């Protein structure tokens, strides 16, 4: 694992995690994978891109994903997001854009680069922050899950009136401990083509999020993306 470069506001809540045994094992695993010549996605400078794009005290919304896109050139450290030149968009992202259009009449159909959301306070966090190229879920159960659990715990305990968007059973299990009295939790099936028609479409997560933020006198999210 490269030297940790974290946005300063995350250092205090997370510093202790980097000294724990699981993190040392994760470092060793990633180092061995790299030495074996296995391509790791995204590039190492983007492993903590979600945290570095959305400071701790500015988080308003958390959208929890599973692991990075395994297709080279897609992942850049933000859950569900792809780099600006990626075409066609991944199918789950296309379905997210379809629901956004139906929900708020916002048309992002040709854009999948979600950094503008992150800059407004949407933490686009994957449960696992790396993957071997072309091998989905290949870095699961090596320690990343414990680290991202710590992120969610810190937000749950030390922030108020956040919105946690949990799409699919994996995200819902990971977020089961979130305090529903302190935060809004929005749950639905995953936007994957395999499950989107079982309740993701029509779930209106974007308008629900903005209504809750507005109710708590927090500036809502502008979900529209500037076309790159």
């Amino acid at each position: 694992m490269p030297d940790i470069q974290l946005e300063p506001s995350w250092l205090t809540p997370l510093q202790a995690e980097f000294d724990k045994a699981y993190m040392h094992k994760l470092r060793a695993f990633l180092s061995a994978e790299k030495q074996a010549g296995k391509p790791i996605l995204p590039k190492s400078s983007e492993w903590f891109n979600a945290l570095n794009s959305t400071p701790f005290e500015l988080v308003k919304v958390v959208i929890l994903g599973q692991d990075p896109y395994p297709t080279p050139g897609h992942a850049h450290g933000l859950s569900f997001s792809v780099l600006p030149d990626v075409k066609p968009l991944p199918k789950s992202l296309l379905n997210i854009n379809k629901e956004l259009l139906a929900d708020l009449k916002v048309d992002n159909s040709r854009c999948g680069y979600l950094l503008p959301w992150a800059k407004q306070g949407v933490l686009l966090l994957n449960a696992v922050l790396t993957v071997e190229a072309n091998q989905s879920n290949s870095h699961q159960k090596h320690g990343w899950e414990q680290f991202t659990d710590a992120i969610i715990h810190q937000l749950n305990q030390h922030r108020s009136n956040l919105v946690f968007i949990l799409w699919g059973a994996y995200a819902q299990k990971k977020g089961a401990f979130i305090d529903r009295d302190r935060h809004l939790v929005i749950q639905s099936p995953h936007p994957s083509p395999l499950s989107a028609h079982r309740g993701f479409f029509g779930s209106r997560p974007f308008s629900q999020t903005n209504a809750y933020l507005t109710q708590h006198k927090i500036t809502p999210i502008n979900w529209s993306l500037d076309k790159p």
Side-chain angles (χ1 to χ4, degrees):
M1 186 180 297
D3 291 337
I4 305 304
Q5 299 291 333
L6 273 189
E7 199 280 330
S9 70
W10 288 101
L11 288 175
T12 298
L14 296 177
Q15 187 64 58
E17 298 302 311
F18 292 100
D19 296 324
K20 293 182 178 179
Y22 82 86
M23 186 60 75
H24 293 298
K25 291 180 180 178
L26 175 58
R27 288 175 185 267
F29 165 73
L30 292 169
S31 177
E33 292 291 283
K34 185 176 181 180
Q35 290 178 9
K38 296 181 180 179
I40 297 175
L41 303 176
K43 60 186 180 182
S44 59
S45 63
E46 294 176 334
W47 291 356
F48 299 100
N49 200 18
L51 301 179
N52 292 336
S53 298
T54 312
F56 181 81
E57 71 277 2
L58 298 184
V59 175
K60 301 176 183 179
V61 182
V62 180
I63 298 181
L64 188 60
Q66 193 159 346
D67 69 341
Y69 293 118
T71 304
H74 283 200
H76 65 110
L78 303 181
S79 65
F80 295 101
S81 181
V82 291
L83 289 167
D85 58 347
V86 171
K87 298 290 186 294
L89 300 182
K91 292 180 179 179
S92 290
L93 187 52
L94 283 172
N95 285 341
I96 290 169
N97 286 341
K98 287 179 183 178
E99 177 60 18
L100 178 58
L101 181 60
D103 188 4
L104 289 176
K105 303 298 186 288
V106 171
D107 186 358
N108 289 341
S109 58
R110 291 179 292 177
C111 189
Y113 184 57
L114 305 184
L115 183 63
W117 293 2
K119 293 298 185 182
Q120 295 179 73
V122 181
L123 181 65
L124 296 164
L125 181 68
N126 279 317
V128 176
L129 301 187
T130 58
V131 70
E132 181 183 343
N134 301 310
Q135 301 291 328
S136 294
N137 304 322
S138 51
H139 288 186
Q140 286 191 354
K141 300 181 180 178
H142 288 283
W144 279 128
E145 293 93 337
Q146 190 169 341
F147 179 71
T148 53
D149 277 350
I151 294 171
I152 299 169
H153 273 289
Q154 290 292 328
L155 291 167
N156 180 56
Q157 292 173 2
H158 299 294
R159 296 292 313 281
S160 298
N161 301 323
L162 300 183
V163 180
F164 290 86
I165 298 177
L166 308 179
W167 289 327
Y170 182 93
Q172 289 159 25
K173 182 177 179 181
K174 189 174 180 69
F177 63 82
I178 296 166
D179 184 349
R180 267 69 169 174
D181 293 326
R182 190 180 181 95
H183 308 286
L184 175 64
V185 176
I186 298 173
Q187 299 188 165
S188 80
H190 195 275
S192 158
L194 298 176
S195 57
H197 291 279
R198 297 203 297 264
F200 172 76
F201 290 131
S203 62
R204 301 180 65 88
F206 307 101
S207 59
Q208 284 190 68
T209 293
N210 280 356
Y212 179 84
L213 294 175
T214 300
Q215 176 188 345
H216 290 90
K217 296 180 172 55
I218 301 168
T219 303
I221 305 300
N222 175 9
W223 297 104
S224 180
L225 300 169
D226 292 330
K227 300 298 185 291

